[in-house]
């Protein structure tokens, strides 16, 4: 009997959060200024899910990880230079826009279609991983729609912990309102797990893993299927940067006593 | 002609959470603006009290999926219930609060019904233009959609909670029979820090944001993490504040070394953390540049304490920056706040 999990991680690139972002009107709707020039990172929540996948796979021998990424092919290749050094996985690239303005419905259709075509994917052992929200669209809906398209009815959102119990069931901690967790137990895979930050630090770069991964990643990128997702049905009236700059009053040479008094008065206002 | 459905789940105590009542305001206002009929759809173990409490919201129709199977959050059962309610009411616009339970269930329901969904909605007008932020609160868009049903998850803290007279209403039960496959997941319970250790308080007037400076070497060349922890703890207790943190500070918990034990990833605000809504915010020892200060995008009045007069978290973003030692200032503030 085969053991371990088949973990499919959905995650793509987003502009490095340290970059200045500005919206522009493109031919197909809103876009980011110089989008293709902006340095990119693996979408943070999805990146956490990839690290959690690797950690789980290590503990469950026979497991395998795929990373399904929809993004500009050249940018994906750049991104892989670092991401491929983190953990072992097989890349399933889709060549299309990674913009936050594309419709999650269409993105989910493209991702589910690609997952459907993964050879030898064992659905009975499938854990569909991803981030609970992207740093681009930040909608928190794509993973559920991918799960739904793949017929997965056990779904978990904003997960910080997944424990495999002795009987094979899966115990989840999901973030809910007010700094609390919901605890649920699912009898086993298949399940969709949209991660929050989890509990693992970013793995250090390991050039050996990188080299191993890249052997399959380069040919996969060359064969990447086009995925022209768009924004059908949406009309954007405007996309703007928040304009309000505050006039900051800088209090420099006041005593601690004066400052504390002012703060307390303000708190009590 | 549009038809609006206000969709919500009851809490463990059988009533609607505040965020749901806020969404009801949005739904009732929208129904009036577009002159569309309003229906109420509720999910929960027993929803009668919740329905009675909103009897006067102007809805022509109240229906619900109830029973033990629908008492707590589970994707399979909540999605089945929501799907049944949308089908039953033939709604074209579905407004629901952006709380964890429906945020998990509704995207799949939108797909089943070949509809579309927008989340983190913070404004809706009579022309059906909605507003939401993109790139984690970095830019705001106004948009509309042609597809129906269109699901809108309304962010908490944007609309005023609906208020009105309670009365007894007839709630039409909508039957949903769950297949065994929808019961593979079992709700076990909640995990929360003990009430006095709970530092995340969504209803607090004030958000206190702690930055990594609290754990850095101070003027005497030493870090004072335990002192910092006590000062922060005392402050949020006395000021009844909610505790937020920069990414750098919470990341220290997974990096080893001495840390502020009050903090977990749940406290993180910013680009990859939360963007809570509070009337006031006080940031201390935070340096983050523009992309990270999105953590207090939705804080109305903002002040900061930092040793650095050029603090990137404050200049142009806070109303007041106190250039001072946060250890000294917070100690004095705590003293003045008394017990
Ligand atoms: C992918 C990615 C995602 C990110 N997401 C987030 C996010 O969600 N949220 C976030 O916050 N950041 C985020 N960041 C940014 C990041 O981690 C920043 O470096 C961080 O926000 C800055 O942390 P800080 O302000 O706590 O501390 P520091 O940059 O270390 O600054 C410490 C400050 O404390 C001050 N200080 C020290 N001692 C005192 C004292 N006694 N009194 C007063 N002031 C004092 C110093 O003057 C300094 O300004 C992200 C970065 C990346 C790459």
């Amino acid at each position: 009997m085969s053991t371990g999990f088949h973990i499919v991680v959905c995650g793509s690139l987003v502009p490095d959060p340290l970059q200045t972002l500005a919206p522009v009107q493109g031919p197909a709707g809103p876009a980011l200024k110089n989008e293709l020039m902006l340095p990119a990172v693996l979408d943070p929540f999805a990146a956490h899910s990839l690290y959690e996948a690797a950690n789980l796979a290590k503990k469950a021998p026979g497991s395998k990880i795929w990373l399904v990424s929809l993004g500009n092919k050249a940018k994906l290749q750049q991104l892989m230079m670092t991401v491929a050094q983190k953990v072992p996985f097989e890349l399933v690239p889709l060549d299309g826009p990674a913009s936050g303005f594309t419709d999650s419905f269409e993105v989910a259709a493209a991702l589910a279609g690609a997952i459907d075509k993964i050879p030898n994917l064992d659905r009975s052992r499938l854990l569909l991983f991803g981030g609970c929200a992207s740093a681009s669209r930040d909608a928190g809906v794509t993973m559920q729609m991918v799960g739904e398209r793949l017929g997965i009815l056990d779904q978990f959102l904003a997960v910080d912990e997944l424990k495999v119990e002795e009987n094979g069931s899966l115990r989840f901690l999901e973030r809910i309102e007010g700094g609390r967790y919901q605890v649920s137990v699912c009898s086993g895979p298949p399940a969709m797990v949209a991660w929050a930050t989890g509990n693992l630090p970013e793995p250090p770069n390991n050039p050996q893993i990188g080299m191993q991964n890249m052997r399959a990643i380069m040919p996969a990128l060359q064969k990447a299927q086009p995925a022209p997702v768009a924004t059908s049905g949406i009309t954007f009236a405007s996309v703007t940067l928040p304009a309000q700059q505050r006039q900051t009053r800088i209090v420099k040479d006041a005593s601690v006593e004066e400052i504390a008094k002012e703060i307390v008065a303000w708190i009590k206002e | 002609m549009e038809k609006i459905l206000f969709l919500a789940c009851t809490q463990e105590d059988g009533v609607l959470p505040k965020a749901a009542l806020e969404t009801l305001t949005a739904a009732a206002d929208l129904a009036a603006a577009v002159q569309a009929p309003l229906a109420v759809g509720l999910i929960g173990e027993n929803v009668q009290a919740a329905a009675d409490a909103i009897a006067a919201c102007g809805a022509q129709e109240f229906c619900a999926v109830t029973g033990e199977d629908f008492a707590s959050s589970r994707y399979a059962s909540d999605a089945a219930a929501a799907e049944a309610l949308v089908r039953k009411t033939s709604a074209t616009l579905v407004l629901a609060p952006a709380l964890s339970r429906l945020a998990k269930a509704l995207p799949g329901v939108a797909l089943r019904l070949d509809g579309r969904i927008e989340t983190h909605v913070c404004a809706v007008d009579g022309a059906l233009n909605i507003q939401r932020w993109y790139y984690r609160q970095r830019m705001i868009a106004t948009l509309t959609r042609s597809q129906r049903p269109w699901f809108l998850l309304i962010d908490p803290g944007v609309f005023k909670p609906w208020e009105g007279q309670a009365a007894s209403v007839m709630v039409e039960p909508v039957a949903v029979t769950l297949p065994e496959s929808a019961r593979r997941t079992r709700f076990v319970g909640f995990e929360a820090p003990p009430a006095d250790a709970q530092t995340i308080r969504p209803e607090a007037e004030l958000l206190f944001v702690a930055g990594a400076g609290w754990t850095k070497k101070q003027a005497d060349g030493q870090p004072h993490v335990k002192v910092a922890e006590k000062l922060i703890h005392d402050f949020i207790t006395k000021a009844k504040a909610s505790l937020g943190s920069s990414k750098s500070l919470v990341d220290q918990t997974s990096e080893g070394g001495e840390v502020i034990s009050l903090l977990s990833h749940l406290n993180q605000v910013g680009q990859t953390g939360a963007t809570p809504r509070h009337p006031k915010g006080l940031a201390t020892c935070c340096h983050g540049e523009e992309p990270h200060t999105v953590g207090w995008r939705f804080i109305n009045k903002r002040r900061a304490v930092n040793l650095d007069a050029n603090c990137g978290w404050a200049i142009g973003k806070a109303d007041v920056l106190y250039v001072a030692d946060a250890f000294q200032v917070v100690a004095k503030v705590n003293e003045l706040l008394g017990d």
Side-chain angles (χ1 to χ4, degrees), chain B residues 227-245:
Chain B
V227 179
E229 180 173 308
K230 171 107 179 53
L231 286 171
I232 294 170
H233 171 268
D234 290 354
F235 177 82
I236 59 167
T237 308
K238 287 167 191 271
K240 299 190 178 64
S242 187
L243 179 59
S245 163

Side-chain angles (χ1 to χ4, degrees), chain A residues 117-234:
Chain A
K117 291 199 207 99
I118 295 179
N120 305 321
L121 181 68
D122 182 349
R123 296 284 189 99
S124 68
R125 294 193 279 155
L126 174 61
L127 291 178
L128 175 65
F129 275 25
C132 59
S134 68
S136 49
R137 190 181 311 103
D138 187 24
V141 305
T142 311
M143 291 311 301
Q144 294 95 308
M145 291 199 273
V146 176
E148 187 70 28
R149 283 186 183 270
L150 297 174
I152 300 176
L153 280 181
D154 294 280
Q155 302 204 4
F156 304 88
L157 184 66
V159 172
D160 267 343
E161 190 181 286
L162 158 55
K163 268 196 191 140
V164 182
E165 314 229 79
E166 258 167 35
N167 64 0
S169 59
L170 309 169
R171 185 178 182 276
F172 293 95
L173 289 189
E174 290 172 282
R175 290 184 186 187
I176 57 166
E177 285 66 38
R180 296 194 302 163
Y181 282 114
Q182 172 167 331
V183 189
S184 306
V185 172
C186 173
S187 55
M192 188 290 281
V193 192
W195 286 86
T197 40
N199 292 301
L200 301 171
E202 181 172 335
N205 287 349
N206 180 333
Q208 242 162 351
I209 295 181
M211 260 156 14
Q212 227 166 0
N213 276 341
M214 285 315 261
R215 254 179 250 144
I217 287 176
M218 291 311 290
L221 277 166
Q222 268 149 24
K223 286 185 292 189
Q225 293 296 311
V229 292
T231 54
S232 343
I234 308 183

